[in-house]
Structures are given as structure tokens and as C-alpha cells.
Amino acid sequence: MSDQAPRTWQLQLHGDSGVHGPGGLVLPLRGRAAALVALVALEPGIRRSRVAALLWPDADGARNNLRQQLARFRSALGRELVTGVDELRLADGVTLAEPPDGAELLAGEPVAADDFGAWLEAMRLRERVRWQDALRARLAEAEARSDLDALLALATGALALRPQDESAHAAVMRAHLLRGEAAQGLRVFERLERLLPGGVSSPTRQLAEALRRGDTPPHPAAGAHAELPATLKRPPRLAGRTRELAAAQQAWSRQQAVLLEGEAGLGKSRLLAELLGPQGTPAPALVVAGRPGEAGAPYATLERLLQPLLAAPRAGLGATTQDTLQRWLQAAPGSAPLRAGALQQAVAELLAQHAVPAVALDDLHFADEATVELLAELAPNDAGTRRWAFAQRPAEATAAGERLRGTLLEVHRLAVVTLAPLDAAAAAELVDALGIAGLEGPRFAEPLVRHTGGNPLFLLETLKQGLQDGSLARGELPHPSSVGTLIEQRLQRLSEPALNLARVAAVAGTDFGIALAEHVIGVRAVQLAGAWAELEAAQVLRDDAFAHDLVHDAARRLTPAVLTRHLHGAVAAFLQQHGAAPARVAHHWLGAGQPQRALPPLHEAARQAALA
């Protein structure tokens, strides 16, 4: 049979990799040969230079090695397997076979600690997520038909294909729960605990608890797309914080900086926004919030704070200031360190040129130390020029944050405003402000305060959950009262694509963005629009960050440990390819459990920190 005939040459990249011709297996694929074909098949149009760099990173003759491998394919098959001059693709008549259900890409090939290893990990993760999505869809269909025999058969079949996969274990546990077979389901959980000691996710543990209690779980799709009232996403007015707002405004009238302190969920960010509103400042303030993970990147918070000013023309700045800002932003190899105080002076001139009326740093406890120390030098000397505001959780205050606090107190330039939990009257005011039919403040205020400890975020999360599960309509409050559990339950009601996007955002942290999500999940950005909109509607994401760090924490808990490591690796590979800050690249390689790959970016981060 002519090798021109289509469909006669098939490429198998899952299980036993090889090229299958008219008479069966013609050429097994192993090592770099398998890696080369996988790159070309899964990234058609990939450039020769990238393939050579990925497969022979340390070889002087990488391009020659690539030519020799392509020649070996021609010699073994009597025809082209891969073709192209600058961009490579599979030759005509060669098709990629559909992978067997649950089979792994390049199974048996080790994952090396190099760029190709990161690519392979990312591809395997992408396929694993797709397989899990397809499995959940089949399981949900069987459950909707109440075909519990088919449900158990599907789940056990998936577990046999992927014995290391937590989602497959959970599917079997759920099938046993629905069939009333608690003992069998708990045995599956015990095997999973031995397989992943300490790494089993919260939803799977809750499933085990349901097995122990003999509960019947809700349908997995129940309430997945329930729309929350707009007022619950952001209450229309600040309720219960009149005293705190007045104290902050009075401090500003005395030319003092303001520090809002309170534990998570007490409303520091909302109070800060109210303080900086149109009536609080004559022109737009400069505002930024510290993000988890920025502590290891000097001036990362400062760069985000100044971004609107840095993007504007700098013609009005002095030559020395322009040079300082340029050298700071580039931190090029071989650059001399900035002289002491140069960056501080440049930032002061930049703020003055744009007549910034107020500077606010929310979540001070997450900001990097270098930024906080620079602001501690600027703020005390800014009396009468601009207003300063900070917000932090006191229990998580950093050493730099404490020095900032102490410096401002020492010169009598700081007013500390402490936020306490809401009492019943304030809670009633907040509930009434929501304007939700059937939800009267006086009726629910005292039970809500007992239930949530008067924490506004916990209170709102309780109401969201109660509206979604119907308990408020029955005059009840949802249980348990732990806000972490409430948020997890809300996240579990999301569609699978939305939950997967939230997991990527949780692991990526401050590095999250649409391009990164597109790369890690393996779909085009436009295909993420529905999931993104769902997360915003459910008040999980706001723009490209989590609506609250407690939501971020809940999404992390819903991500199995093994998946977290894989996601860290995929994020690190993406950031490395796109020239991200080396400290962030190193952070993700360490999270992926690959410290050897973190060493080069750690060295570069140290060099840049010394320059800064």
C-alpha cells in the first residue's frame, strides 16, 4: 500500500508510543525521538529553534542533532514523519491517534528537570483536567438517570485507569454513598489516605464524613449557576462603620496618616474605599493592595502602586529621576547599584509631578519589605502634601509593617483605627441595606451575629449560602458556621470549568492572568469567558484577582496537593518563558517540588535584589 494513502500512518503518543503503518507497529518512540514527535504533534507549527532548545538545551550542535533525528525517521519509515523548514508539523498522511481513555502522554518517560520536562508536565496536567471533566460529565449523567450500577461501573473503571487520581477515588466513594454502601466507600478513602498522606482535599474528606454519617449528598449540579442578588456582591452602602469612618476622616483633617487594623473579613478594604471616595480626596488616589507571594520580590508592590504614573509620559521629571526609575525597572545585568535614597527621591518627585492627593496600601501584611520601608521614609515627611492610609491584619503584621507603624507613631503622624465585629444593631443595618425581599434586619440580626461572630464577610457568606440552599426561606441559617466551609460549599456549586479556573488562580496567586490561564488550562482565552464570568458573578474573582483572600484560601483547599504541584510547575514554565520576575519563577518551582530548577532564578533574584 502506498504511503501516500491517508489514515494508514498513525502516531500513538499515549501508552506505548510509536508510529503505526499499514502492517501494524513500524517504529517505537522513546526518549528524545518521542519528545520531538510530541512537540510537533501537539504544537503544530512549532519553530525548529524552540524544539532544538527544548530537547538539547546544553548541546552546541542542537540544530544538527535535530536534523539527524529527522533523518533517522526518514530512514526507518521510508518517508517523512515530520516536515517543515522553520516551522515543523506532521507530514501529510500522518494522523495523531485518539488517546485511550485515561492513558498518559508519553507514559513511562521520566520528567526531567528542564524546560521540556516542564512542558510535558503541563501537557499531562491539561489532559488530566480534560479527562476529569469528561468523567464528571458521564458520572453526572448516570446519577441523573439514577442508574447507580452504571455510576459505580464508570467510577471503578476510571479508578482502574488512573489509580493515583484523587477525583477517581472520590467518584467511587460517592457511588458507594448513593448506593448505601458506607463501609466500601470508607475503604476507598482509607486507600486514598495511604496514597496521599496529608494531601487529600477538603471535599473528599467531607465525602468521607458523609459516608460515616450515612448522609445523602446533593446532586452535583444543584445550584451551580444560581444568581446572587447584586447587593450581596457589594452592599450598596457602608453599614455599621460610622464611628470608624468618622475617626479616619478626622485623622486626615489633622494631617495624620490612617492605619486600619482588623482581622480578615471585618471590612477594612470597604472602609478604605469609602475613605478614598469622591468626597474624601479632591482627585483620584493611588491605591494598591499587597498580594500573597510578593514578600520575596523587592519593590513588587511599589511597582504595581506606581504603575499608572510610570505608564504616563515622564518628560516633566528631572534627568536624574528618569535615569533612576529606568535603572530600577530594568535591573539589567552589570548595572551598578542605585545610591542610597535615590529611589526614594525619585518616587517622591514622581508623586509630586502628578499631584497625587492620597496614597493607600491595603493588605499591608502581604506587601514586600522593601516597598514598606520606602513608604515608611516618605509618609512621615509628607505632612500637608498628601494623605496616607494603610490597612492590615494585626496578627499577620510583618517586621517592616511594624517599623512603619512605629515610625509614624513616634512623630505623631498616625491614627490607628481598629475595626471590631458588628453588634446586632449594626448587623440589622447591614441586612436592611441589602434590600432583599423576605430578609428583614431585626429578624435575622441577632441569630446572624451569634452565627458569625459579627464578622461582616462571614455574615454575607452565610446569607449567600442560605439563599442558594434555601435555608433562609425556611427561616434557618446554613450550617456549619465556619466561613471557610461556607466558601468551599459555594465554590463546589460552580461549574467544573469555573472551579478549574479558580484552582489555577489560587495556585498562580499574584501571577494570575488571562494569558497564563489560557496556557495552563490549554484552551483559548475566548473559551474561558463563560467560566470567568461565572466566577465574577459568584464573587470569586474581581478583575484578575480573588474578591477576598479567604476565597483564595478556600480555592487552595479545594485543590489536591498533587494537582497543586503540577499547577505550580506549569505556572513556573509559563513565567520563565515570558521573562517574569525570577523570584516569582523560583517560588513556583519550589511549589512544584523541584528545588533544583529554582536555583538559577533564585540566583538572578538575589542579583536583582542587590541592585535594588
Side-chain angles (χ1 to χ4, degrees), residues 227-537:
E227 184 66 26
L228 292 168
T231 54
L232 262 180
K233 300 172 187 177
R234 180 177 175 82
R237 62 185 175 85
L238 186 68
R241 294 298 184 203
T242 304
R243 180 188 61 81
E244 291 89 343
L245 179 59
Q249 291 171 333
Q250 185 178 22
W252 268 12
S253 69
R254 299 195 304 264
Q255 302 299 327
Q256 289 184 305
V258 172
L259 174 61
L260 305 177
E261 288 193 329
E263 296 312 316
L266 288 181
K268 299 182 296 298
S269 299
R270 181 62 190 272
L271 182 57
L272 190 62
E274 197 78 12
L275 183 63
L276 297 167
Q279 297 178 350
T281 57
L286 208 57
V287 187
V288 76
R291 291 181 178 177
E294 284 188 336
Y299 298 118
T301 312
L302 180 67
E303 186 172 352
R304 287 194 302 107
L305 174 69
L306 299 178
Q307 194 57 47
L309 309 186
L310 295 171
R314 303 182 203 164
L317 295 174
T320 301
T321 295
Q322 292 196 44
D323 178 65
T324 297
L325 292 173
Q326 193 68 21
R327 288 170 58 197
W328 165 54
L329 292 171
Q330 290 183 344
S335 300
L338 294 173
R339 65 178 177 80
L343 183 57
Q344 177 190 330
Q345 293 174 13
V347 172
E349 185 177 340
L350 187 65
L351 295 175
Q353 185 205 31
H354 291 273
V356 174
V359 178
L361 177 52
D362 196 3
D363 288 334
L364 179 66
H365 48 281
F366 286 139
D368 69 271
E369 183 173 354
T371 293
V372 178
E373 289 182 344
L374 185 145
L375 297 184
E377 294 294 326
L378 287 177
N381 303 313
D382 235 3
T385 306
R386 67 185 49 85
R387 294 162 170 171
W388 292 82
F390 307 92
Q392 71 171 356
R393 302 180 199 167
E396 299 178 35
T398 62
E402 287 298 285
R403 286 194 293 273
L404 168 67
R405 190 181 196 273
T407 299
L408 288 168
L409 284 173
E410 187 175 346
V411 296
H412 308 290
R413 288 270 290 120
L414 183 69
V416 179
V417 179
T418 303
L419 277 68
L422 301 180
D423 59 17
E429 181 186 352
L430 175 57
V431 173
D432 284 338
L434 301 175
I436 299 175
L439 200 61
E440 302 85 16
R443 176 185 171 199
F444 281 96
E446 289 193 9
L448 275 170
V449 169
R450 288 196 302 270
H451 198 69
T452 65
N455 184 297
L457 176 68
F458 296 7
L459 185 151
L460 293 172
E461 287 295 331
T462 298
L463 295 179
K464 291 171 189 174
Q465 183 72 17
L467 287 172
Q468 288 186 322
D469 65 17
S471 57
L472 285 180
R474 301 189 298 270
E476 304 169 358
L477 294 177
H479 290 277
S481 59
S482 163
V483 71
T485 302
L486 288 176
I487 297 174
E488 285 182 25
Q489 290 171 356
R490 183 153 59 88
L491 290 174
Q492 289 168 13
R493 291 174 179 269
L494 296 168
S495 66
E496 200 60 37
L499 181 55
N500 284 334
L501 182 59
R503 285 169 168 154
V504 172
V507 172
T510 189
D511 302 303
F512 181 66
I514 188 69
L516 184 144
E518 183 181 29
H519 170 83
V520 173
I521 296 177
V523 301
R524 299 192 54 114
V526 69
Q527 295 173 277
L528 295 172
W532 202 292
E534 186 180 342
L535 291 179
E536 289 186 335

Side-chain angles (χ1 to χ4, degrees), residues 131-132 135 139 155-156 158-160 162-173 188:
W131 176 77
Q132 289 173 340
L135 171 64
L139 292 169
T156 53
L159 185 56
R162 292 283 180 95
Q164 308 291 317
D165 194 279
E166 180 180 351
S167 64
H169 284 80
V172 177
M173 292 167 60
V188 174

Side-chain angles (χ1 to χ4, degrees), residues 136-227:
R136 288 188 182 95
R138 294 196 297 269
L139 292 169
E141 182 182 353
E143 187 173 333
R145 298 194 313 265
S146 298
D147 189 346
L148 300 186
D149 290 338
L151 182 68
L152 182 59
L154 277 170
T156 53
L159 185 56
L161 288 169
R162 292 283 180 95
Q164 308 291 317
D165 194 279
E166 180 180 351
S167 64
H169 284 80
V172 177
M173 292 167 60
R174 184 178 180 87
H176 283 307
L177 177 58
L178 290 168
R179 292 163 62 93
E181 299 165 348
Q184 293 94 318
L186 287 171
R187 281 199 293 271
V188 174
F189 178 69
E190 289 165 2
R191 288 198 300 270
L192 178 63
E193 279 195 309
R194 291 194 294 271
L195 182 67
L196 303 174
V200 180
S201 68
S202 177
T204 307
R205 292 190 179 279
Q206 290 173 11
L207 195 54
E209 287 302 315
L211 282 162
R212 293 188 182 99
R213 295 192 304 266
D215 292 349
T216 300
H219 190 280
H225 303 282
E227 184 66 26

